[in-house]
PDB file of all heavy atoms in Angstrom:
ATOM      1  N   ARG A 321     -14.283   3.659  12.777  1.00 97.00           N
ATOM      2  CA  ARG A 321     -15.707   3.162  12.619  1.00 97.00           C
ATOM      3  C   ARG A 321     -16.205   3.287  11.251  1.00 97.00           C
ATOM      4  O   ARG A 321     -16.887   2.416  10.768  1.00 97.00           O
ATOM      5  CB  ARG A 321     -16.585   4.038  13.609  1.00 97.00           C
ATOM      6  CG  ARG A 321     -18.055   3.674  13.549  1.00 97.00           C
ATOM      7  CD  ARG A 321     -18.853   4.435  14.577  1.00 97.00           C
ATOM      8  NE  ARG A 321     -18.671   5.901  14.476  1.00 97.00           N
ATOM      9  CZ  ARG A 321     -19.231   6.652  13.571  1.00 97.00           C
ATOM     10  NH1 ARG A 321     -20.025   6.108  12.640  1.00 97.00           N
ATOM     11  NH2 ARG A 321     -19.006   7.976  13.529  1.00 97.00           N
ATOM     12  N   ARG A 322     -15.903   4.445  10.616  1.00 98.00           N
ATOM     13  CA  ARG A 322     -16.419   4.643   9.223  1.00 98.00           C
ATOM     14  C   ARG A 322     -15.816   3.616   8.221  1.00 98.00           C
ATOM     15  O   ARG A 322     -16.505   3.124   7.279  1.00 98.00           O
ATOM     16  CB  ARG A 322     -16.235   6.075   8.792  1.00 98.00           C
ATOM     17  CG  ARG A 322     -17.059   7.059   9.570  1.00 98.00           C
ATOM     18  CD  ARG A 322     -17.055   8.418   9.005  1.00 98.00           C
ATOM     19  NE  ARG A 322     -17.936   9.341   9.718  1.00 98.00           N
ATOM     20  CZ  ARG A 322     -18.244  10.566   9.368  1.00 98.00           C
ATOM     21  NH1 ARG A 322     -17.751  11.056   8.205  1.00 98.00           N
ATOM     22  NH2 ARG A 322     -19.041  11.308  10.095  1.00 98.00           N
ATOM     23  N   PHE A 323     -14.547   3.308   8.371  1.00 98.00           N
ATOM     24  CA  PHE A 323     -13.906   2.386   7.511  1.00 98.00           C
ATOM     25  C   PHE A 323     -14.480   1.001   7.699  1.00 98.00           C
ATOM     26  O   PHE A 323     -14.731   0.250   6.692  1.00 98.00           O
ATOM     27  CB  PHE A 323     -12.407   2.365   7.666  1.00 98.00           C
ATOM     28  CG  PHE A 323     -11.653   3.235   6.721  1.00 98.00           C
ATOM     29  CD1 PHE A 323     -11.691   4.613   6.857  1.00 98.00           C
ATOM     30  CD2 PHE A 323     -11.014   2.705   5.607  1.00 98.00           C
ATOM     31  CE1 PHE A 323     -11.052   5.469   6.022  1.00 98.00           C
ATOM     32  CE2 PHE A 323     -10.348   3.539   4.707  1.00 98.00           C
ATOM     33  CZ  PHE A 323     -10.352   4.907   4.872  1.00 98.00           C
ATOM     34  N   LEU A 324     -14.697   0.567   8.904  1.00 98.00           N
ATOM     35  CA  LEU A 324     -15.311  -0.733   9.205  1.00 98.00           C
ATOM     36  C   LEU A 324     -16.728  -0.820   8.653  1.00 98.00           C
ATOM     37  O   LEU A 324     -17.116  -1.818   8.103  1.00 98.00           O
ATOM     38  CB  LEU A 324     -15.217  -1.075  10.653  1.00 98.00           C
ATOM     39  CG  LEU A 324     -13.834  -1.355  11.266  1.00 98.00           C
ATOM     40  CD1 LEU A 324     -13.895  -1.410  12.800  1.00 98.00           C
ATOM     41  CD2 LEU A 324     -13.341  -2.665  10.676  1.00 98.00           C
ATOM     42  N   GLU A 325     -17.423   0.261   8.743  1.00 97.00           N
ATOM     43  CA  GLU A 325     -18.803   0.276   8.271  1.00 97.00           C
ATOM     44  C   GLU A 325     -18.935   0.274   6.765  1.00 97.00           C
ATOM     45  O   GLU A 325     -19.748  -0.436   6.194  1.00 97.00           O
ATOM     46  CB  GLU A 325     -19.523   1.540   8.826  1.00 97.00           C
ATOM     47  CG  GLU A 325     -20.990   1.660   8.418  1.00 97.00           C
ATOM     48  CD  GLU A 325     -21.654   2.893   8.936  1.00 97.00           C
ATOM     49  OE1 GLU A 325     -20.992   3.656   9.745  1.00 97.00           O
ATOM     50  OE2 GLU A 325     -22.777   3.185   8.614  1.00 97.00           O
ATOM     51  N   HIS A 326     -18.058   1.058   6.120  1.00 98.00           N
ATOM     52  CA  HIS A 326     -18.216   1.249   4.622  1.00 98.00           C
ATOM     53  C   HIS A 326     -17.290   0.396   3.783  1.00 98.00           C
ATOM     54  O   HIS A 326     -17.568   0.198   2.590  1.00 98.00           O
ATOM     55  CB  HIS A 326     -17.995   2.745   4.285  1.00 98.00           C
ATOM     56  CG  HIS A 326     -18.961   3.651   4.935  1.00 98.00           C
ATOM     57  ND1 HIS A 326     -20.331   3.409   4.967  1.00 98.00           N
ATOM     58  CD2 HIS A 326     -18.826   4.893   5.526  1.00 98.00           C
ATOM     59  CE1 HIS A 326     -20.914   4.375   5.617  1.00 98.00           C
ATOM     60  NE2 HIS A 326     -20.047   5.331   5.942  1.00 98.00           N
ATOM     61  N   MET A 327     -16.121  -0.044   4.379  1.00 98.00           N
ATOM     62  CA  MET A 327     -15.182  -0.876   3.590  1.00 98.00           C
ATOM     63  C   MET A 327     -15.000  -2.238   4.177  1.00 98.00           C
ATOM     64  O   MET A 327     -14.600  -3.157   3.442  1.00 98.00           O
ATOM     65  CB  MET A 327     -13.811  -0.115   3.439  1.00 98.00           C
ATOM     66  CG  MET A 327     -12.926  -0.699   2.382  1.00 98.00           C
ATOM     67  SD  MET A 327     -11.301   0.180   2.278  1.00 98.00           S
ATOM     68  CE  MET A 327     -11.822   1.730   1.548  1.00 98.00           C
ATOM     69  N   GLY A 328     -15.188  -2.367   5.465  1.00 98.00           N
ATOM     70  CA  GLY A 328     -15.051  -3.697   6.066  1.00 98.00           C
ATOM     71  C   GLY A 328     -13.700  -3.980   6.663  1.00 98.00           C
ATOM     72  O   GLY A 328     -13.498  -5.053   7.235  1.00 98.00           O
ATOM     73  N   ILE A 329     -12.768  -3.057   6.512  1.00 98.00           N
ATOM     74  CA  ILE A 329     -11.434  -3.223   7.141  1.00 98.00           C
ATOM     75  C   ILE A 329     -11.000  -1.925   7.795  1.00 98.00           C
ATOM     76  O   ILE A 329     -11.659  -0.871   7.500  1.00 98.00           O
ATOM     77  CB  ILE A 329     -10.395  -3.634   6.157  1.00 98.00           C
ATOM     78  CG1 ILE A 329     -10.174  -2.629   5.024  1.00 98.00           C
ATOM     79  CG2 ILE A 329     -10.700  -5.041   5.542  1.00 98.00           C
ATOM     80  CD1 ILE A 329      -9.042  -2.893   4.088  1.00 98.00           C
ATOM     81  N   THR A 330     -10.079  -1.897   8.652  1.00 98.00           N
ATOM     82  CA  THR A 330      -9.579  -0.691   9.328  1.00 98.00           C
ATOM     83  C   THR A 330      -8.737   0.135   8.403  1.00 98.00           C
ATOM     84  O   THR A 330      -8.184  -0.325   7.441  1.00 98.00           O
ATOM     85  CB  THR A 330      -8.690  -1.091  10.554  1.00 98.00           C
ATOM     86  OG1 THR A 330      -7.508  -1.694  10.095  1.00 98.00           O
ATOM     87  CG2 THR A 330      -9.436  -1.963  11.525  1.00 98.00           C
ATOM     88  N   PRO A 331      -8.677   1.452   8.661  1.00 97.00           N
ATOM     89  CA  PRO A 331      -7.816   2.337   7.798  1.00 97.00           C
ATOM     90  C   PRO A 331      -6.340   1.859   7.837  1.00 97.00           C
ATOM     91  O   PRO A 331      -5.681   2.052   6.856  1.00 97.00           O
ATOM     92  CB  PRO A 331      -8.045   3.691   8.406  1.00 97.00           C
ATOM     93  CG  PRO A 331      -8.539   3.487   9.759  1.00 97.00           C
ATOM     94  CD  PRO A 331      -9.364   2.195   9.728  1.00 97.00           C
ATOM     95  N   LYS A 332      -5.897   1.359   8.962  1.00 96.00           N
ATOM     96  CA  LYS A 332      -4.515   0.904   9.059  1.00 96.00           C
ATOM     97  C   LYS A 332      -4.291  -0.299   8.112  1.00 96.00           C
ATOM     98  O   LYS A 332      -3.248  -0.333   7.361  1.00 96.00           O
ATOM     99  CB  LYS A 332      -4.149   0.534  10.495  1.00 96.00           C
ATOM    100  CG  LYS A 332      -2.730   0.062  10.714  1.00 96.00           C
ATOM    101  CD  LYS A 332      -2.423  -0.263  12.102  1.00 96.00           C
ATOM    102  CE  LYS A 332      -0.984  -0.665  12.346  1.00 96.00           C
ATOM    103  NZ  LYS A 332      -0.661  -0.931  13.795  1.00 96.00           N
ATOM    104  N   LYS A 333      -5.242  -1.232   8.115  1.00 97.00           N
ATOM    105  CA  LYS A 333      -5.095  -2.344   7.212  1.00 97.00           C
ATOM    106  C   LYS A 333      -5.193  -1.980   5.729  1.00 97.00           C
ATOM    107  O   LYS A 333      -4.456  -2.472   4.866  1.00 97.00           O
ATOM    108  CB  LYS A 333      -6.191  -3.385   7.522  1.00 97.00           C
ATOM    109  CG  LYS A 333      -6.005  -4.791   6.883  1.00 97.00           C
ATOM    110  CD  LYS A 333      -6.945  -5.774   7.463  1.00 97.00           C
ATOM    111  CE  LYS A 333      -6.625  -7.183   6.958  1.00 97.00           C
ATOM    112  NZ  LYS A 333      -7.534  -8.187   7.568  1.00 97.00           N
ATOM    113  N   TYR A 334      -6.053  -0.965   5.462  1.00 98.00           N
ATOM    114  CA  TYR A 334      -6.225  -0.464   4.064  1.00 98.00           C
ATOM    115  C   TYR A 334      -4.942   0.227   3.661  1.00 98.00           C
ATOM    116  O   TYR A 334      -4.405   0.028   2.493  1.00 98.00           O
ATOM    117  CB  TYR A 334      -7.347   0.468   3.971  1.00 98.00           C
ATOM    118  CG  TYR A 334      -7.668   0.844   2.491  1.00 98.00           C
ATOM    119  CD1 TYR A 334      -7.951  -0.179   1.557  1.00 98.00           C
ATOM    120  CD2 TYR A 334      -7.716   2.164   2.105  1.00 98.00           C
ATOM    121  CE1 TYR A 334      -8.221   0.166   0.243  1.00 98.00           C
ATOM    122  CE2 TYR A 334      -7.966   2.493   0.797  1.00 98.00           C
ATOM    123  CZ  TYR A 334      -8.223   1.479  -0.122  1.00 98.00           C
ATOM    124  OH  TYR A 334      -8.501   1.815  -1.448  1.00 98.00           O
ATOM    125  N   SER A 335      -4.297   1.007   4.521  1.00 96.00           N
ATOM    126  CA  SER A 335      -3.085   1.689   4.211  1.00 96.00           C
ATOM    127  C   SER A 335      -1.938   0.719   3.917  1.00 96.00           C
ATOM    128  O   SER A 335      -1.199   0.842   2.970  1.00 96.00           O
ATOM    129  CB  SER A 335      -2.674   2.574   5.420  1.00 96.00           C
ATOM    130  OG  SER A 335      -3.610   3.609   5.596  1.00 96.00           O
ATOM    131  N   ARG A 336      -1.884  -0.349   4.734  1.00 93.00           N
ATOM    132  CA  ARG A 336      -0.870  -1.392   4.457  1.00 93.00           C
ATOM    133  C   ARG A 336      -1.058  -2.052   3.113  1.00 93.00           C
ATOM    134  O   ARG A 336      -0.123  -2.315   2.394  1.00 93.00           O
ATOM    135  CB  ARG A 336      -0.937  -2.440   5.626  1.00 93.00           C
ATOM    136  CG  ARG A 336       0.121  -3.547   5.487  1.00 93.00           C
ATOM    137  CD  ARG A 336      -0.129  -4.623   6.555  1.00 93.00           C
ATOM    138  NE  ARG A 336       0.865  -5.682   6.395  1.00 93.00           N
ATOM    139  CZ  ARG A 336       0.614  -6.945   6.776  1.00 93.00           C
ATOM    140  NH1 ARG A 336      -0.545  -7.199   7.315  1.00 93.00           N
ATOM    141  NH2 ARG A 336       1.554  -7.836   6.651  1.00 93.00           N
ATOM    142  N   LEU A 337      -2.335  -2.338   2.819  1.00 95.00           N
ATOM    143  CA  LEU A 337      -2.685  -2.978   1.552  1.00 95.00           C
ATOM    144  C   LEU A 337      -2.253  -2.070   0.373  1.00 95.00           C
ATOM    145  O   LEU A 337      -1.630  -2.581  -0.618  1.00 95.00           O
ATOM    146  CB  LEU A 337      -4.153  -3.254   1.508  1.00 95.00           C
ATOM    147  CG  LEU A 337      -4.718  -4.253   0.512  1.00 95.00           C
ATOM    148  CD1 LEU A 337      -4.095  -5.675   0.767  1.00 95.00           C
ATOM    149  CD2 LEU A 337      -6.193  -4.381   0.585  1.00 95.00           C
ATOM    150  N   ILE A 338      -2.568  -0.753   0.496  1.00 95.00           N
ATOM    151  CA  ILE A 338      -2.263   0.139  -0.584  1.00 95.00           C
ATOM    152  C   ILE A 338      -0.727   0.238  -0.803  1.00 95.00           C
ATOM    153  O   ILE A 338      -0.218   0.307  -1.887  1.00 95.00           O
ATOM    154  CB  ILE A 338      -2.845   1.572  -0.317  1.00 95.00           C
ATOM    155  CG1 ILE A 338      -4.358   1.522  -0.385  1.00 95.00           C
ATOM    156  CG2 ILE A 338      -2.277   2.604  -1.217  1.00 95.00           C
ATOM    157  CD1 ILE A 338      -4.894   1.156  -1.747  1.00 95.00           C
ATOM    158  N   ARG A 339      -0.020   0.301   0.290  1.00 92.00           N
ATOM    159  CA  ARG A 339       1.465   0.368   0.241  1.00 92.00           C
ATOM    160  C   ARG A 339       2.035  -0.849  -0.431  1.00 92.00           C
ATOM    161  O   ARG A 339       2.926  -0.738  -1.289  1.00 92.00           O
ATOM    162  CB  ARG A 339       2.012   0.593   1.642  1.00 92.00           C
ATOM    163  CG  ARG A 339       3.510   0.791   1.664  1.00 92.00           C
ATOM    164  CD  ARG A 339       4.081   1.470   2.834  1.00 92.00           C
ATOM    165  NE  ARG A 339       3.872   0.715   4.089  1.00 92.00           N
ATOM    166  CZ  ARG A 339       4.717   0.853   5.152  1.00 92.00           C
ATOM    167  NH1 ARG A 339       5.647   1.804   5.190  1.00 92.00           N
ATOM    168  NH2 ARG A 339       4.537   0.042   6.210  1.00 92.00           N
ATOM    169  N   VAL A 340       1.571  -2.028  -0.107  1.00 91.00           N
ATOM    170  CA  VAL A 340       2.072  -3.238  -0.694  1.00 91.00           C
ATOM    171  C   VAL A 340       1.734  -3.303  -2.200  1.00 91.00           C
ATOM    172  O   VAL A 340       2.593  -3.625  -3.008  1.00 91.00           O
ATOM    173  CB  VAL A 340       1.496  -4.537   0.041  1.00 91.00           C
ATOM    174  CG1 VAL A 340       1.786  -5.748  -0.803  1.00 91.00           C
ATOM    175  CG2 VAL A 340       2.175  -4.612   1.394  1.00 91.00           C
ATOM    176  N   ILE A 341       0.516  -2.951  -2.538  1.00 92.00           N
ATOM    177  CA  ILE A 341       0.132  -2.978  -3.966  1.00 92.00           C
ATOM    178  C   ILE A 341       0.904  -1.998  -4.748  1.00 92.00           C
ATOM    179  O   ILE A 341       1.356  -2.268  -5.883  1.00 92.00           O
ATOM    180  CB  ILE A 341      -1.402  -2.673  -4.097  1.00 92.00           C
ATOM    181  CG1 ILE A 341      -2.206  -3.885  -3.525  1.00 92.00           C
ATOM    182  CG2 ILE A 341      -1.794  -2.404  -5.566  1.00 92.00           C
ATOM    183  CD1 ILE A 341      -3.672  -3.586  -3.279  1.00 92.00           C
ATOM    184  N   HIS A 342       1.200  -0.794  -4.217  1.00 89.00           N
ATOM    185  CA  HIS A 342       2.053   0.191  -4.823  1.00 89.00           C
ATOM    186  C   HIS A 342       3.443  -0.384  -5.124  1.00 89.00           C
ATOM    187  O   HIS A 342       3.997  -0.238  -6.232  1.00 89.00           O
ATOM    188  CB  HIS A 342       2.159   1.393  -3.998  1.00 89.00           C
ATOM    189  CG  HIS A 342       3.161   2.448  -4.516  1.00 89.00           C
ATOM    190  ND1 HIS A 342       2.882   3.222  -5.638  1.00 89.00           N
ATOM    191  CD2 HIS A 342       4.401   2.853  -4.085  1.00 89.00           C
ATOM    192  CE1 HIS A 342       3.932   3.961  -5.908  1.00 89.00           C
ATOM    193  NE2 HIS A 342       4.861   3.774  -4.924  1.00 89.00           N
ATOM    194  N   CYS A 343       3.989  -1.053  -4.149  1.00 86.00           N
ATOM    195  CA  CYS A 343       5.346  -1.659  -4.350  1.00 86.00           C
ATOM    196  C   CYS A 343       5.330  -2.721  -5.418  1.00 86.00           C
ATOM    197  O   CYS A 343       6.253  -2.837  -6.250  1.00 86.00           O
ATOM    198  CB  CYS A 343       5.773  -2.282  -3.008  1.00 86.00           C
ATOM    199  SG  CYS A 343       6.154  -1.088  -1.743  1.00 86.00           S
ATOM    200  N   LEU A 344       4.297  -3.532  -5.479  1.00 87.00           N
ATOM    201  CA  LEU A 344       4.185  -4.585  -6.492  1.00 87.00           C
ATOM    202  C   LEU A 344       4.088  -3.938  -7.881  1.00 87.00           C
ATOM    203  O   LEU A 344       4.735  -4.506  -8.790  1.00 87.00           O
ATOM    204  CB  LEU A 344       2.953  -5.452  -6.218  1.00 87.00           C
ATOM    205  CG  LEU A 344       2.900  -6.274  -4.921  1.00 87.00           C
ATOM    206  CD1 LEU A 344       1.651  -7.061  -4.855  1.00 87.00           C
ATOM    207  CD2 LEU A 344       4.111  -7.172  -4.852  1.00 87.00           C
ATOM    208  N   ARG A 345       3.383  -2.891  -8.007  1.00 86.00           N
ATOM    209  CA  ARG A 345       3.234  -2.185  -9.320  1.00 86.00           C
ATOM    210  C   ARG A 345       4.625  -1.588  -9.712  1.00 86.00           C
ATOM    211  O   ARG A 345       4.981  -1.546 -10.899  1.00 86.00           O
ATOM    212  CB  ARG A 345       2.160  -1.164  -9.322  1.00 86.00           C
ATOM    213  CG  ARG A 345       0.777  -1.797  -9.305  1.00 86.00           C
ATOM    214  CD  ARG A 345      -0.321  -0.821  -9.120  1.00 86.00           C
ATOM    215  NE  ARG A 345      -1.631  -1.463  -9.306  1.00 86.00           N
ATOM    216  CZ  ARG A 345      -2.743  -0.963  -8.782  1.00 86.00           C
ATOM    217  NH1 ARG A 345      -2.762   0.144  -8.125  1.00 86.00           N
ATOM    218  NH2 ARG A 345      -3.910  -1.654  -8.998  1.00 86.00           N
ATOM    219  N   GLN A 346       5.329  -1.072  -8.711  1.00 83.00           N
ATOM    220  CA  GLN A 346       6.622  -0.440  -9.025  1.00 83.00           C
ATOM    221  C   GLN A 346       7.669  -1.459  -9.314  1.00 83.00           C
ATOM    222  O   GLN A 346       8.624  -1.143 -10.024  1.00 83.00           O
ATOM    223  CB  GLN A 346       7.072   0.385  -7.782  1.00 83.00           C
ATOM    224  CG  GLN A 346       6.215   1.705  -7.555  1.00 83.00           C
ATOM    225  CD  GLN A 346       6.273   2.616  -8.594  1.00 83.00           C
ATOM    226  OE1 GLN A 346       7.371   3.020  -9.116  1.00 83.00           O
ATOM    227  NE2 GLN A 346       5.159   3.055  -9.142  1.00 83.00           N
ATOM    228  N   SER A 347       7.504  -2.659  -8.846  1.00 73.00           N
ATOM    229  CA  SER A 347       8.558  -3.697  -9.025  1.00 73.00           C
ATOM    230  C   SER A 347       8.776  -4.040 -10.478  1.00 73.00           C
ATOM    231  O   SER A 347       9.873  -4.437 -10.871  1.00 73.00           O
ATOM    232  CB  SER A 347       8.195  -4.926  -8.278  1.00 73.00           C
ATOM    233  OG  SER A 347       7.024  -5.619  -8.828  1.00 73.00           O
ATOM    234  N   LYS A 348       7.799  -3.832 -11.346  1.00 69.00           N
ATOM    235  CA  LYS A 348       7.917  -4.173 -12.790  1.00 69.00           C
ATOM    236  C   LYS A 348       8.939  -3.124 -13.443  1.00 69.00           C
ATOM    237  O   LYS A 348       9.336  -3.337 -14.585  1.00 69.00           O
ATOM    238  CB  LYS A 348       6.552  -4.111 -13.486  1.00 69.00           C
ATOM    239  CG  LYS A 348       5.918  -2.750 -13.643  1.00 69.00           C
ATOM    240  CD  LYS A 348       4.596  -2.920 -14.357  1.00 69.00           C
ATOM    241  CE  LYS A 348       3.836  -1.586 -14.486  1.00 69.00           C
ATOM    242  NZ  LYS A 348       2.527  -1.724 -15.130  1.00 69.00           N
ATOM    243  N   ARG A 349       9.216  -2.042 -12.774  1.00 67.00           N
ATOM    244  CA  ARG A 349      10.160  -1.077 -13.312  1.00 67.00           C
ATOM    245  C   ARG A 349      11.583  -1.459 -12.993  1.00 67.00           C
ATOM    246  O   ARG A 349      12.499  -0.664 -13.200  1.00 67.00           O
ATOM    247  CB  ARG A 349       9.832   0.311 -12.776  1.00 67.00           C
ATOM    248  CG  ARG A 349       8.456   0.776 -13.203  1.00 67.00           C
ATOM    249  CD  ARG A 349       8.209   2.204 -12.720  1.00 67.00           C
ATOM    250  NE  ARG A 349       6.806   2.656 -13.062  1.00 67.00           N
ATOM    251  CZ  ARG A 349       6.325   3.864 -12.733  1.00 67.00           C
ATOM    252  NH1 ARG A 349       7.121   4.728 -12.088  1.00 67.00           N
ATOM    253  NH2 ARG A 349       5.150   4.165 -13.104  1.00 67.00           N
ATOM    254  N   LYS A 350      11.758  -2.684 -12.433  1.00 59.00           N
ATOM    255  CA  LYS A 350      13.088  -3.212 -12.180  1.00 59.00           C
ATOM    256  C   LYS A 350      13.881  -2.421 -11.149  1.00 59.00           C
ATOM    257  O   LYS A 350      15.105  -2.343 -11.165  1.00 59.00           O
ATOM    258  CB  LYS A 350      13.958  -3.336 -13.522  1.00 59.00           C
ATOM    259  CG  LYS A 350      13.239  -3.981 -14.645  1.00 59.00           C
ATOM    260  CD  LYS A 350      12.879  -5.459 -14.370  1.00 59.00           C
ATOM    261  CE  LYS A 350      12.169  -6.072 -15.509  1.00 59.00           C
ATOM    262  NZ  LYS A 350      11.692  -7.448 -15.242  1.00 59.00           N
ATOM    263  N   LYS A 351      13.158  -1.824 -10.206  1.00 61.00           N
ATOM    264  CA  LYS A 351      13.835  -1.030  -9.125  1.00 61.00           C
ATOM    265  C   LYS A 351      14.492  -1.959  -8.147  1.00 61.00           C
ATOM    266  O   LYS A 351      13.936  -3.120  -7.952  1.00 61.00           O
ATOM    267  CB  LYS A 351      12.861  -0.113  -8.457  1.00 61.00           C
ATOM    268  CG  LYS A 351      12.410   1.090  -9.294  1.00 61.00           C
ATOM    269  CD  LYS A 351      11.543   2.026  -8.432  1.00 61.00           C
ATOM    270  CE  LYS A 351      11.146   3.253  -9.206  1.00 61.00           C
ATOM    271  NZ  LYS A 351      10.370   4.209  -8.410  1.00 61.00           N
ATOM    272  N   GLN A 352      15.540  -1.585  -7.534  1.00 70.00           N
ATOM    273  CA  GLN A 352      16.191  -2.318  -6.512  1.00 70.00           C
ATOM    274  C   GLN A 352      15.253  -2.414  -5.244  1.00 70.00           C
ATOM    275  O   GLN A 352      14.551  -1.469  -4.995  1.00 70.00           O
ATOM    276  CB  GLN A 352      17.508  -1.769  -6.096  1.00 70.00           C
ATOM    277  CG  GLN A 352      18.573  -1.800  -7.209  1.00 70.00           C
ATOM    278  CD  GLN A 352      18.971  -3.221  -7.515  1.00 70.00           C
ATOM    279  OE1 GLN A 352      19.163  -4.028  -6.605  1.00 70.00           O
ATOM    280  NE2 GLN A 352      19.230  -3.515  -8.812  1.00 70.00           N
ATOM    281  N   LEU A 353      15.293  -3.566  -4.576  1.00 64.00           N
ATOM    282  CA  LEU A 353      14.469  -3.710  -3.402  1.00 64.00           C
ATOM    283  C   LEU A 353      14.764  -2.638  -2.340  1.00 64.00           C
ATOM    284  O   LEU A 353      13.847  -2.094  -1.723  1.00 64.00           O
ATOM    285  CB  LEU A 353      14.643  -5.094  -2.743  1.00 64.00           C
ATOM    286  CG  LEU A 353      14.215  -6.314  -3.639  1.00 64.00           C
ATOM    287  CD1 LEU A 353      14.344  -7.601  -2.806  1.00 64.00           C
ATOM    288  CD2 LEU A 353      12.686  -6.177  -4.008  1.00 64.00           C
ATOM    289  N   THR A 354      15.972  -2.308  -2.183  1.00 70.00           N
ATOM    290  CA  THR A 354      16.359  -1.258  -1.219  1.00 70.00           C
ATOM    291  C   THR A 354      15.687   0.054  -1.581  1.00 70.00           C
ATOM    292  O   THR A 354      15.204   0.799  -0.657  1.00 70.00           O
ATOM    293  CB  THR A 354      17.900  -1.034  -1.155  1.00 70.00           C
ATOM    294  OG1 THR A 354      18.505  -2.345  -0.890  1.00 70.00           O
ATOM    295  CG2 THR A 354      18.349  -0.059  -0.133  1.00 70.00           C
ATOM    296  N   GLN A 355      15.685   0.415  -2.889  1.00 78.00           N
ATOM    297  CA  GLN A 355      15.059   1.648  -3.269  1.00 78.00           C
ATOM    298  C   GLN A 355      13.615   1.604  -3.103  1.00 78.00           C
ATOM    299  O   GLN A 355      13.011   2.619  -2.616  1.00 78.00           O
ATOM    300  CB  GLN A 355      15.393   1.876  -4.759  1.00 78.00           C
ATOM    301  CG  GLN A 355      14.848   3.203  -5.324  1.00 78.00           C
ATOM    302  CD  GLN A 355      15.109   3.408  -6.816  1.00 78.00           C
ATOM    303  OE1 GLN A 355      15.708   2.515  -7.462  1.00 78.00           O
ATOM    304  NE2 GLN A 355      14.600   4.460  -7.347  1.00 78.00           N
ATOM    305  N   LEU A 356      12.943   0.514  -3.428  1.00 76.00           N
ATOM    306  CA  LEU A 356      11.482   0.367  -3.239  1.00 76.00           C
ATOM    307  C   LEU A 356      11.090   0.528  -1.742  1.00 76.00           C
ATOM    308  O   LEU A 356      10.182   1.187  -1.360  1.00 76.00           O
ATOM    309  CB  LEU A 356      11.002  -0.967  -3.774  1.00 76.00           C
ATOM    310  CG  LEU A 356      10.663  -1.099  -5.196  1.00 76.00           C
ATOM    311  CD1 LEU A 356      10.307  -2.515  -5.595  1.00 76.00           C
ATOM    312  CD2 LEU A 356       9.520  -0.137  -5.619  1.00 76.00           C
ATOM    313  N   ALA A 357      11.946  -0.147  -0.882  1.00 73.00           N
ATOM    314  CA  ALA A 357      11.653  -0.039   0.581  1.00 73.00           C
ATOM    315  C   ALA A 357      11.737   1.379   1.105  1.00 73.00           C
ATOM    316  O   ALA A 357      10.971   1.811   1.884  1.00 73.00           O
ATOM    317  CB  ALA A 357      12.622  -0.970   1.302  1.00 73.00           C
ATOM    318  N   TYR A 358      12.833   2.045   0.598  1.00 73.00           N
ATOM    319  CA  TYR A 358      13.034   3.459   1.002  1.00 73.00           C
ATOM    320  C   TYR A 358      11.861   4.305   0.553  1.00 73.00           C
ATOM    321  O   TYR A 358      11.353   5.132   1.314  1.00 73.00           O
ATOM    322  CB  TYR A 358      14.383   3.953   0.462  1.00 73.00           C
ATOM    323  CG  TYR A 358      14.613   5.401   0.718  1.00 73.00           C
ATOM    324  CD1 TYR A 358      14.993   5.916   1.908  1.00 73.00           C
ATOM    325  CD2 TYR A 358      14.438   6.351  -0.367  1.00 73.00           C
ATOM    326  CE1 TYR A 358      15.245   7.294   2.123  1.00 73.00           C
ATOM    327  CE2 TYR A 358      14.625   7.691  -0.128  1.00 73.00           C
ATOM    328  CZ  TYR A 358      15.044   8.131   1.112  1.00 73.00           C
ATOM    329  OH  TYR A 358      15.240   9.466   1.291  1.00 73.00           O
ATOM    330  N   GLU A 359      11.529   4.241  -0.738  1.00 77.00           N
ATOM    331  CA  GLU A 359      10.507   5.061  -1.256  1.00 77.00           C
ATOM    332  C   GLU A 359       9.085   4.846  -0.613  1.00 77.00           C
ATOM    333  O   GLU A 359       8.285   5.730  -0.540  1.00 77.00           O
ATOM    334  CB  GLU A 359      10.329   4.829  -2.728  1.00 77.00           C
ATOM    335  CG  GLU A 359      11.555   5.368  -3.577  1.00 77.00           C
ATOM    336  CD  GLU A 359      11.407   4.989  -5.055  1.00 77.00           C
ATOM    337  OE1 GLU A 359      10.467   4.301  -5.431  1.00 77.00           O
ATOM    338  OE2 GLU A 359      12.277   5.466  -5.826  1.00 77.00           O
ATOM    339  N   SER A 360       8.893   3.560  -0.112  1.00 78.00           N
ATOM    340  CA  SER A 360       7.640   3.231   0.494  1.00 78.00           C
ATOM    341  C   SER A 360       7.671   3.415   2.016  1.00 78.00           C
ATOM    342  O   SER A 360       6.732   3.048   2.758  1.00 78.00           O
ATOM    343  CB  SER A 360       7.308   1.779   0.161  1.00 78.00           C
ATOM    344  OG  SER A 360       7.224   1.587  -1.199  1.00 78.00           O
TER     345      SER A 360
END
């Protein structure tokens, strides 16, 4: 309820978004996809 009220999305959706954005930022370090998937 608080996430929908104050951010407009669910905490699950926000968590997914944060995880994807973290992976995108890590990808510039030339890590293997398998390693990125494991770390995330």
Side-chain angles (χ1 to χ4, degrees):
R321 177 176 55 78
R322 292 192 178 189
F323 264 75
L324 287 170
E325 180 182 355
H326 298 318
M327 193 180 289
I329 62 175
T330 65
K332 183 177 180 180
K333 192 169 187 177
Y334 188 57
S335 295
R336 182 187 178 206
L337 199 60
I338 291 296
R339 184 158 67 155
V340 166
I341 292 168
H342 172 73
C343 291
L344 296 180
R345 287 175 174 157
Q346 291 297 308
S347 68
K348 69 180 179 181
R349 299 184 181 180
K350 311 298 182 184
K351 290 186 177 182
Q352 294 294 321
L353 293 184
T354 305
Q355 183 183 358
L356 275 175
Y358 172 78
E359 291 177 355
S360 303

